[in-house]
């Protein structure tokens, strides 16, 4: 949906398409979140984004295959059922004909997908035209967007809108982490040449983190541990970009709470939070921008707070001085920001992988052996996660094998086990492994001689088998288990074979 609102109103002036229904609470929240709430008072155009919790019960989605998309998309790009993302283009210019002396309006694109680069690019095309032509512009744009193909992980899409074709690749879960994005294809001889987006969602990390580069280790740890944080910034653009950059540091699980604010009122209201990051306007320069200092929370004052990280947190790992030197050298040599961002992103990815891979290896060791899976018994259980067994495994398979950073890795793991991120990561991995066991069990059933099994079985046992196989088949399809369609068809054929061996009265009941 595309929404247009005015600051004086508590509901949007216009929602398009007209048949999309927000609750009154959602409308009010969108309006409040879509207007810059700061003392900057800047004129011109501003872009930023926000995340909004859905109010009320579940609603139908225009996409019928949410399960497939979420199964194939990276965790950080999955469609969220309980939240909306709002992408805002705000314009403020002097206008003596308006009661307040200013023209102020926001165009907001609302989606369940966190495609920040794509949707902000789309708004840059739509918004200037909309402010001039109003509703007819939105109608034309929505008619074009209705024809767009659904997002399929791994595919490159050509998205025509307003005489431009935006070309972008949808990332896939099977993409190699840290690899360069696949070059966009232009096989269709599009004319004019498409507007190619190098990424559908990735930010310029170097620009976002430039005032806190020497503290990137601390910020990574805080996000890894799911620690709640407030980001205070002078503009909604800086605020939302910093929040997105921070949440991108934590791929094992969704972060806990990271809130971005611009109104100085929140300095006092949120001063009880354990971690507060106060930043100024982000500006690229020839030298390393002034780095904020880590300060005690007690020094957080009401109005004149200086930029800084206000926290009592002590890092478990040491800073990576080599990384800082490389980035500094890059600034001196005027290395492009995208190259600096790639260096920073790779460092953070390697750091995360060094931490997570030992957990993944230990989790995999809890999986039952494939030979223990037999067709006519329930799959064996995944062994329980024992934290002390894992800690002992680190001696010969820990992060020290892949990461040069020194520090208290054991202490970081113990703190991680107490965090909400560990619970989220463990539940996801356990669910994936359980589904893998179910898939292996279905394959074992397909390879078994079902006719031989039925020879000495009673009718009650055979009917019970039919019911269990049907239940497994339904579950495999509903949960989108990683099973080949050929396997599912063979199981369906097995069910028909078993039913055909029963007396006619039982066949009728089971077919019914």
């Amino acid at each position: 949906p595309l929404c247009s609102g005015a600051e004086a109103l508590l509901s949007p002036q216009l929602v398009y398409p007209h048949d999309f229904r927000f609750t009154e609470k959602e409308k009010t929240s969108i309006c409040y979140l879509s207007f810059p709430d700061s003392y900057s008072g800047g004129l011109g155009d501003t872009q930023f984004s926000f995340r909004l919790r859905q109010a009320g019960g579940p609603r139908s989605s225009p996409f019928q295959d949410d399960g497939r998309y979420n199964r194939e998309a990276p965790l950080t790009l999955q469609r969220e059922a309980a939240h909306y993302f709002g992408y805002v283009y705000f314009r403020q210019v002097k206008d003596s004909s308006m009661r307040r002396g200013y023209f102020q309006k926001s165009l907001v694109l609302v989606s369940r997908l966190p495609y920040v680069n794509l949707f902000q690019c789309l708004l840059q095309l739509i918004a200037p035209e909309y402010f001039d032509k109003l509703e007819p512009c939105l109608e034309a744009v929505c008619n074009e967007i209705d024809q767009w193909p659904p997002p399929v992980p791994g595919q490159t899409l050509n998205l025509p809108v307003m005489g431009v074709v935006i070309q972008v690749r949808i990332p896939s879960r099977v993409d190699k982490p840290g690899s360069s994005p696949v070059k966009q294809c232009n096989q269709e001889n599009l004319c004019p040449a498409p507007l190619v987006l190098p990424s559908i969602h990735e930010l310029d990390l170097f620009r976002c983190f430039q005032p806190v580069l020497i503290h990137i280790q601390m910020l990574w740890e805080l996000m890894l541990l799911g620690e709640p944080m407030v980001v205070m910034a002078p503009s909604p653009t800086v605020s939302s970009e910093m929040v997105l950059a921070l949440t991108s540091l934590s791929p094992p699980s969704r972060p806990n709470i990271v809130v971005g604010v611009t109104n100085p009122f929140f300095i006092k209201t949120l001063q009880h939070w354990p971690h507060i990051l106060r930043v100024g306007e982000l500006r690229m320069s020839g030298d390393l921008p002034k780095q904020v200092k880590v300060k005690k929370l007690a020094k957080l004052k009401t109005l004149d707070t200086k930029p800084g990280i206000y926290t009592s947190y002590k890092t478990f790992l040491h800073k990576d001085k080599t990384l800082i030197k490389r980035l500094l050298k890059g600034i001196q040599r005027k290395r492009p920001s995208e190259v600096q961002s790639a260096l920073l992103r790779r460092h953070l990815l390697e750091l995360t992988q060094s931490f997570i891979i030992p957990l993944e290896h230990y989790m995999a060791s809890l999986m039952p052996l494939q030979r223990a899976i037999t067709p006519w018994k329930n799959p064996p259980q995944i062994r329980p996660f024992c934290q002390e067994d894992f800690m002992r495994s680190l001696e010969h398979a820990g992060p020290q094998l892949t990461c040069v950073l020194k520090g208290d890795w054991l202490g970081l793991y113990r703190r991680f086990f107490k965090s909400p991120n560990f619970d989220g990561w463990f539940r996801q991995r356990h669910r994936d492994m359980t589904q893998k066991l179910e898939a292996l069990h279905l394959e074992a059933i397909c390879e078994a001689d079902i006719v031989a099994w039925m020879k000495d079985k009673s009718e009650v046992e055979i009917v019970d088998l039919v019911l269990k196989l049907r239940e497994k088949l339904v579950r495999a399809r509903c949960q989108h288990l990683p099973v080949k369609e050929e396997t599912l068809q063979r199981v369906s054929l097995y069910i028909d074979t078993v039913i055909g061996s029963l007396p006619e009265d039982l066949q009728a009941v089971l077919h019914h």
Side-chain angles (χ1 to χ4, degrees):
L2 292 162
C3 306
S4 172
E7 189 174 15
L9 300 177
L10 290 183
S11 66
Q13 290 179 340
L14 175 67
V15 177
Y16 212 95
H18 297 305
D19 58 355
F20 192 90
R21 294 287 178 261
F22 288 112
T23 66
E24 290 304 313
K25 182 177 180 181
E26 288 167 347
K27 289 179 183 178
T28 302
S29 295
I30 288 171
C31 284
Y32 277 128
L33 290 167
S34 298
F35 283 85
D37 188 12
S38 65
Y39 288 167
S40 58
L43 296 177
D45 295 349
T46 303
Q47 286 190 262
F48 56 96
S49 57
F50 61 81
R51 185 167 174 260
L52 171 74
R53 186 180 297 278
Q54 176 181 296
R59 255 162 278 173
S60 61
S61 167
F63 301 99
Q64 299 304 313
D65 194 15
D66 281 10
R68 182 190 171 192
Y69 172 83
N70 280 355
R71 189 174 74 252
E72 297 177 359
L75 178 66
T76 52
L77 291 182
Q78 290 182 1
R79 185 178 291 114
E80 293 198 23
H83 293 88
Y84 294 115
F85 296 93
Y87 304 93
V88 182
Y89 193 107
F90 171 72
R91 174 167 291 181
Q92 176 172 276
V93 292
K94 288 184 177 180
D95 187 342
S96 58
S97 67
M98 307 295 287
R99 182 172 60 85
R100 301 179 63 182
Y102 289 93
F103 171 92
Q104 293 176 309
K105 187 168 285 190
S106 285
L107 183 66
V108 190
L109 191 153
V110 182
S111 173
R112 293 195 187 278
L113 293 166
Y115 294 170
V116 60
N117 286 347
L118 171 62
F119 293 139
Q120 294 290 25
C121 173
L122 183 61
L123 282 175
Q124 287 170 14
L125 297 172
I126 299 171
E129 193 81 1
Y130 163 72
F131 291 138
D132 182 40
K133 298 179 180 177
L134 301 179
E135 186 170 356
C137 169
L138 291 191
E139 183 176 4
V141 165
C142 285
N143 285 337
E144 288 188 290
I145 293 175
D146 279 345
Q147 306 304 313
W148 287 4
V152 178
Q155 288 192 6
T156 295
L157 304 181
N158 293 310
L159 310 173
V161 62
M162 298 184 67
V164 175
V165 176
I166 303 174
Q167 190 176 89
V168 69
R169 181 181 181 275
I170 309 297
S172 169
R173 181 176 288 196
V174 298
D175 291 346
K176 186 178 179 182
S179 61
S180 299
V182 177
K183 290 183 179 179
Q184 312 301 308
C185 58
N186 191 18
Q187 301 172 347
E188 301 174 32
N189 297 319
L190 298 171
C191 188
L195 174 59
V196 179
L197 297 186
S199 170
I200 204 166
H201 69 292
E202 289 181 342
L203 300 168
D204 185 338
L205 280 191
F206 179 68
R207 185 174 61 82
C208 291
F209 286 138
Q210 53 173 326
V212 292
L213 282 175
I214 64 173
H215 306 300
I216 199 72
Q217 177 66 45
M218 172 184 282
L219 296 174
W220 176 82
E221 288 188 21
L222 290 173
M223 293 300 102
L224 178 78
L225 300 174
E227 288 289 319
M229 178 178 287
V230 178
V231 175
M232 296 178 178
S235 71
T237 305
V238 174
S239 176
S240 61
E241 286 191 355
M242 183 62 83
V243 169
L244 289 169
L246 287 168
T247 55
S248 73
L249 300 183
S250 178
S253 179
R254 298 194 184 279
N256 190 6
I257 301 175
V258 183
V259 178
V261 300
T262 55
N263 192 321
F265 165 78
F266 288 106
I267 298 175
K268 183 176 182 180
T269 307
L270 302 178
Q271 61 185 336
H272 62 284
W273 278 51
H275 317 288
I276 297 174
L277 171 59
R278 179 75 183 268
V279 293
E281 284 289 351
L282 302 181
R283 294 186 179 88
M284 297 299 285
S285 62
D287 301 313
L288 182 66
K290 186 177 180 180
Q291 299 292 285
V292 305
K293 296 181 179 179
V294 176
K295 304 178 181 182
K296 293 182 179 180
L297 277 169
K299 292 187 177 181
L300 186 68
K301 297 178 182 178
T302 306
L303 292 175
D304 59 345
T305 307
K306 295 180 180 179
I309 302 176
Y310 294 82
T311 180
S312 57
Y313 180 82
K314 302 296 182 184
T315 58
F316 288 91
L317 306 181
H318 304 318
K319 293 178 181 178
D320 190 333
K321 295 180 180 177
T322 304
L323 171 73
I324 303 301
K325 287 179 180 178
R326 288 187 70 187
L327 294 174
L328 273 171
K329 189 173 290 186
I331 293 174
Q332 293 166 357
R333 294 180 176 178
K334 295 182 168 51
R335 189 184 290 150
S337 183
E338 58 267 23
V339 179
Q340 296 278 77
S341 286
L343 283 172
L344 187 54
R345 187 172 283 110
R346 177 167 294 182
H347 163 78
L348 293 166
L349 175 65
E350 290 174 353
L351 190 56
T352 302
Q353 287 182 323
S354 293
F355 183 85
I356 289 296
I357 285 174
L359 284 163
E360 295 280 1
H361 284 169
Y362 176 73
M363 197 73 185
S365 73
L366 304 179
M367 185 81 164
L369 296 175
Q370 190 164 349
R371 64 171 178 266
I373 301 171
T374 56
W376 314 123
K377 292 182 181 179
N378 289 328
Q381 297 292 306
I382 299 167
R383 292 191 297 280
F385 190 106
C386 176
Q387 294 182 12
E388 292 308 314
D389 285 349
F390 167 74
M391 299 299 276
R392 282 191 288 271
S393 75
L394 294 177
E395 187 174 342
H396 58 271
Q400 72 277 3
L401 301 179
T402 55
C403 186
V404 297
L405 281 191
K406 304 297 182 183
D408 185 7
W409 285 98
L410 296 183
L412 185 59
Y413 279 113
R414 292 193 188 280
R415 181 75 175 260
F416 180 67
F417 290 144
K418 297 175 183 177
S419 76
N421 275 5
F422 170 69
D423 184 63
W425 173 84
F426 177 76
R427 286 174 183 271
Q428 180 65 45
R429 293 295 294 115
H430 197 276
R431 183 162 52 248
D432 291 344
M433 291 168 67
T434 302
Q435 291 183 350
K436 178 65 175 176
L437 278 175
E438 283 284 328
L440 291 172
H441 192 223
L442 281 171
E443 291 172 6
I445 290 171
C446 287
E447 294 170 3
D449 187 344
I450 199 164
V451 176
W453 179 85
M454 288 190 297
K455 282 182 180 177
D456 59 346
K457 298 297 184 293
S458 66
E459 289 181 356
V460 171
E461 289 176 299
I462 293 175
V463 169
D464 184 58
L465 174 66
V466 170
L467 297 176
K468 285 183 177 178
L469 286 179
R470 274 185 174 167
E471 182 185 350
K472 292 180 78 68
L473 198 59
V474 169
R475 191 162 60 240
R477 294 194 184 280
C478 290
Q479 296 181 359
H480 304 281
L481 296 186
V483 187
K484 296 177 182 177
E485 182 59 32
E486 177 190 355
T487 300
L488 297 178
Q489 290 175 357
R490 287 179 65 186
V491 172
S492 183
L493 183 62
Y494 271 24
I495 293 172
D496 292 340
T497 302
V498 175
I499 292 176
S501 70
L502 294 169
E504 289 186 3
D505 57 336
L506 281 178
Q507 287 188 38
V509 171
L510 289 171
H511 280 309
H512 177 70

